[in-house]
Amino acid sequence: MPQPPGRHRLKTTNAQAERIEAALADAPARAYAPLPGVADEMVDTEGRVRPVWRPFLSALERMDETELAGRFARADRYLRDAGVFYRAYGKEAGTDRAWPLSHIPVLIDEDEWESLSRGLVQRAELLEAVVADIYGTNALVANGLLPPALVASNDEFLRPLVGVQPAGRHFLHFVSFEIGRGPDGNWWVLSDRTQAPSGAGFALENRVATTRAFSDVYAETHAHRLAGFFGAFRSTLQAGKAPDDRIAVLTPGLANETYFEHAYIARYLGFMLLEGEDLTVVGGRVMVRTVAGLKPVGVLWRRLDAAFADPLELNQNSHIGTPGMVEALRSGSVTFVNALGAGIVETRAFLAFLPNICRHLLGEEQRLPSIATWWCGQKEERAHVAANVGRMVIGPAYSTRPFFDDNGQSVLGSGLRDTARQSITEWLATDGARLVGQEAVTLSTTPAFVDGRLVPRPMSLRVFAARTRDGWQIMPGGFARIGSGDNVSAIAMQEGGSAADVWIVSRKPVERTSLLPAEEEFTRTMPGSLPSRAADNLFWLGRYIERSEGALRVLRAWHGRYAEYADPEQPLLKDVTDYLDALDIDTAEAVPTSLIRNIDSAVFSASNIRDRFSPDGWLALNDLSKTARRFHVSIEPGDDATRAMTVLLRKLAGFAGLVHENMYRFTGWRFLSIGRYLERGLHMTRLLGHLSGEDAPDGALDMLLEIGDSVMTHRRRYNVATAHLTVTDLLALDALNPRSILYQLNEIKNEIEQLPDAYANGQMSPFYREAMRLHAGLAVMTPETMTDAVYERLEAELEKLSDILAQTYLS
């Protein structure tokens, strides 16, 4: 059968493959040595490779270290180019870390996964019932199945939500579970994630990166695809909203440690990415501020903790929420994924009570048990924990994280001396209601490739469940968290752990699903309304990019002449230095700090609209930033700086070209373009006002043409030497010159005509009227009338135009 482009068949005959697999059945690949007394995902208790792993390992055996290194490098390069990152807890802002991929996937047999899935579906239904009871009749507390303190004293219990029935009557829509396999080979739930489960987007990126490394192996492995899971969830959300409503991912913002994933999921599913400031509540309805006015939002997939969603009724110190959200929930006009307050069942102490609750609410035993947990607010349980402290992990009862994510909040009893254990007993007696004891788990291991060989590393799985129209559906995969050593506490990526893809392997070919519609007929839909904050970032991205280009062109011309004169006091150099000083650009630095700041500001603006920004554009912009920083510390003024400016201009032109050629011409494009045209117009207005006057030094007009990239055009258009009038005509008034001021105003006018509400009741908007006035006023000018006062007035009017744009569309 023909292979897809870029994929190759494994170069092994069937007989050879059978011999390799037979050998692997007796001895693991590359001298793999499972840890004694620990369950292993690849090797059974008799030291034989599990059948699901044999085809993958037989392929791995045929690869030498050079080939493997190349494959792993492809995966890492993909993640790096895609900008996949996470941000560490407790670190300073901006400390982004590359996503730590463990290149060897975890393979699980389809039959075992189906059994796990049944247990997780039951658990999702159980958690739904518990949340519904807590915010409804509260029968679990009344019947003694939940201690009142675990609800009343719980920070995750949101009293204003009591009695509020969610739209659609479901509290949970998307949940995740941290699960692990114990020494006996059975799976346990380590924690439930119902607040704002993270990781689904990273699971997708893990899959893409891992298949880059093992494209040929993956093509021949019957691993279930992930797209169908997301497609079913998206369809369910779309079916549950009104036709004119929007679906959005609600993010805390760029500083959040998983912001990349928020943007990725929004882009992947075609949802809006919003922050709290983008929203307002009007008449009990959640509305998004867009450049076309307020538009209704029907579904919010929130990625911020519930208490921060509404500073009016929940956490008053929240700066990332939207006042009135709770009132909108009471009106039933918006669906939250998940409902506000649902995070209460993440609380660690709840694990101790779920078995009895399951019997009471569902009438059956838990198919997938939790890690053994005892709440120390009860006398017998407290005594049991104290008596067995050596095999316990003791930690906060109200924590919502697994013990290995505690960052030191939990105590491992087996590592304590006798005197310390006595202190633990006193601690339990004093603060028992705030503590739980959990059985210290020994997690199973999975292969990781370290220093040229496969070694066992402890792991847990993060698995996702989505509510669909056909009930709960479990993602056929997820991702594995891999420890950096034998210590289970190192599973957390904050502590040096990594993440691996999970392949659910079938014995027969699986359906290759896609999010693209299968129907031949389709309806072309225009992009949704542009949020005002996104328009703001696009506008300033355009301005910062053009501001950087303008500075680079002036600096290149300055350094070119400095290399020739070697005297910064030469009149032209001194005059341009004064001009640059006024703009906070220091010519003493070959690549000025202010230029770095402008490029960083462009990166920051782009990072706030990652859901609307192409990966190629993001890669090009980051490459520009890295190159500028490298030149900043390594380049000397003069020739070196001139060449450096040329390199940066080419990279900037590459980014601009990517955006120009690839960006869809929707409203966002127009704000980006207006920002560029406005900044270029300001740049040329300032330059002409400074360098074209009668007192300008010798060579100023030639420098102006060079900065304006118009030297050849001037020679073709004017059969005279460089003169004040010809330069003014070309750089200020020539509507065909893409560097002229008049060209910028003409393009701004054309873009404004396409913006929402450019006309209102048959009249121009104030923004459109001001742009028309500016364009008309400059179009009737002649070179002789362009004086310093005209340039000064024009600069002020261009800045005013920016202010009017902000007032019209961005506030």
Side-chain angles (χ1 to χ4, degrees), residues 427-459:
W427 182 31
L428 292 173
T430 304
D431 296 325
R434 294 186 296 160
L435 298 171
V436 292
Q438 289 186 302
E439 187 173 4
V441 295
T442 300
L443 294 177
S444 66
T445 57
T446 193
F449 201 81
V450 180
D451 297 331
R453 64 191 185 95
L454 291 178
V455 296
R457 288 288 184 260
M459 67 139 216

Side-chain angles (χ1 to χ4, degrees), residues 10-22:
L10 304 178
K11 299 177 181 178
T12 308
T13 66
N14 289 337
Q16 288 173 323
E18 289 173 2
R19 286 197 296 273
I20 291 174
E21 291 184 18

Side-chain angles (χ1 to χ4, degrees), residues 188-243:
W188 300 78
V189 175
L190 305 175
S191 68
D192 305 296
R193 317 301 292 168
T194 58
Q195 174 74 268
S198 64
F202 289 125
L204 283 167
E205 288 289 34
N206 282 345
R207 175 60 55 89
V208 176
T210 303
T211 53
R212 293 290 177 94
F214 297 110
S215 57
D216 47 359
V217 183
Y218 184 73
E220 297 191 353
T221 301
H222 302 319
H224 286 269
R225 272 49 175 178
L226 304 181
F229 171 82
F230 288 97
F233 184 53
R234 182 178 67 178
S235 298
T236 303
L237 294 184
Q238 290 171 333
K241 70 175 185 66

Side-chain angles (χ1 to χ4, degrees), residues 20 24 27-35 40-43 49-50 53-65 68-69 72 102-107 214 445-458 482-486 500:
I20 291 174
L24 287 170
R30 301 178 188 267
Y32 183 79
L35 298 178
D40 191 90
E41 297 303 314
M42 187 178 80
V43 180
V49 173
R50 300 181 191 273
W53 280 88
R54 290 174 188 171
F56 180 85
L57 287 181
S58 67
L60 207 63
E61 279 293 314
R62 293 188 292 274
M63 304 173 194
D64 59 25
E65 290 189 13
L68 277 175
F72 296 164
S102 181
H103 302 93
I104 304 298
V106 176
L107 277 61
F214 297 110
T445 57
T446 193
F449 201 81
V450 180
D451 297 331
R453 64 191 185 95
L454 291 178
V455 296
R457 288 288 184 260
I482 311 295
S484 59
D486 294 343

Side-chain angles (χ1 to χ4, degrees), residues 131 135 156 158 171-172 194-195 302 306 338-346:
V131 177
Y135 290 99
E156 299 298 333
L158 304 182
F171 289 84
L172 301 179
T194 58
Q195 174 74 268
R302 66 177 176 87
N338 290 320
L340 299 185
I344 189 170
V345 291
E346 287 190 3

Side-chain angles (χ1 to χ4, degrees), residues 529-605:
S529 300
L530 182 69
S532 297
R533 183 181 54 85
D536 191 20
N537 280 289
L538 285 162
F539 173 69
W540 280 100
L541 172 61
R543 291 199 65 172
Y544 284 126
I545 285 297
E546 193 60 40
R547 188 174 297 177
S548 300
E549 180 181 339
L552 283 169
R553 290 188 175 279
V554 177
L555 286 166
R556 184 173 66 170
W558 189 94
H559 283 288
R561 283 155 181 78
Y562 176 76
E564 178 181 352
Y565 298 128
D567 179 14
E569 297 301 317
Q570 193 268 346
L572 178 59
L573 292 179
K574 183 66 170 62
D575 190 65
V576 176
T577 298
D578 293 341
Y579 170 80
L580 292 173
D581 283 345
L583 299 177
D584 193 29
I585 300 175
D586 186 2
T587 54
E589 299 178 292
V591 179
T593 301
S594 58
L595 175 63
I596 302 291
R597 284 200 302 267
N598 282 332
I599 295 175
D600 285 347
S601 295
V603 173
F604 179 78
S605 294

Side-chain angles (χ1 to χ4, degrees), residues 284-573:
R285 295 226 54 188
V286 178
M287 312 290 283
V288 55
R289 296 182 175 94
T290 78
V291 296
L294 297 178
K295 303 295 180 182
V297 176
V299 179
L300 281 171
W301 187 355
R302 66 177 176 87
R303 302 305 300 271
L304 76 167
D305 287 353
F308 293 96
D310 186 348
L312 189 63
E313 296 199 52
L314 301 176
N315 187 334
Q316 297 180 3
N317 295 318
S318 172
H319 297 285
I320 57 176
T322 306
M325 278 294 193
V326 173
E327 182 58 35
L329 281 172
R330 291 193 185 103
S331 72
S333 64
V334 65
T335 296
F336 267 93
V337 178
N338 290 320
L340 299 185
I344 189 170
V345 291
E346 287 190 3
T347 305
R348 189 181 295 173
F350 269 71
L351 296 177
F353 301 93
L354 287 182
N356 283 337
I357 293 175
C358 185
R359 297 185 199 102
H360 177 77
L361 293 180
L362 304 185
E364 55 191 20
E365 296 292 331
Q366 285 186 288
R367 292 193 178 100
L368 195 60
S370 309
I371 180 176
T373 304
W374 295 266
W375 179 53
C376 298
Q378 297 166 303
K379 183 177 179 180
E380 290 185 9
E381 283 76 7
R382 184 164 59 248
H384 175 82
V385 172
N388 297 276
V389 67
R391 57 186 182 89
M392 293 284 176
V393 177
I394 301 173
Y398 297 107
S399 173
T400 58
R401 297 189 174 278
F403 68 89
F404 50 75
D405 266 359
D406 258 351
N407 292 325
Q409 293 183 53
S410 294
V411 175
L412 184 61
S414 61
L416 298 175
R417 298 178 180 176
D418 290 340
T419 53
R421 293 187 185 187
Q422 181 60 36
S423 298
I424 291 291
T425 302
E426 295 174 0
W427 182 31
L428 292 173
T430 304
D431 296 325
R434 294 186 296 160
L435 298 171
V436 292
Q438 289 186 302
E439 187 173 4
V441 295
T442 300
L443 294 177
S444 66
T445 57
T446 193
F449 201 81
V450 180
D451 297 331
R453 64 191 185 95
L454 291 178
V455 296
R457 288 288 184 260
M459 67 139 216
S460 69
L461 294 186
R462 182 166 295 184
V463 187
F464 301 89
R467 186 183 294 280
T468 71
R469 284 176 285 189
D470 299 322
W472 286 101
Q473 184 171 329
I474 305 300
M475 180 194 291
F479 73 84
R481 301 210 289 177
I482 311 295
S484 59
D486 294 343
N487 185 358
V488 69
S489 66
I491 284 180
M493 284 182 290
Q494 307 291 335
E495 303 296 327
S498 56
D501 191 17
V502 178
W503 294 3
I504 308 305
V505 181
S506 174
R507 294 181 180 85
K508 56 185 182 297
V510 298
E511 182 181 0
R512 300 197 174 190
T513 54
S514 168
L515 285 187
L516 298 175
E519 298 84 0
E520 293 184 4
E521 296 183 2
F522 65 92
T523 300
R524 178 184 292 170
T525 58
M526 292 303 293
S529 300
L530 182 69
S532 297
R533 183 181 54 85
D536 191 20
N537 280 289
L538 285 162
F539 173 69
W540 280 100
L541 172 61
R543 291 199 65 172
Y544 284 126
I545 285 297
E546 193 60 40
R547 188 174 297 177
S548 300
E549 180 181 339
L552 283 169
R553 290 188 175 279
V554 177
L555 286 166
R556 184 173 66 170
W558 189 94
H559 283 288
R561 283 155 181 78
Y562 176 76
E564 178 181 352
Y565 298 128
D567 179 14
E569 297 301 317
Q570 193 268 346
L572 178 59
L573 292 179

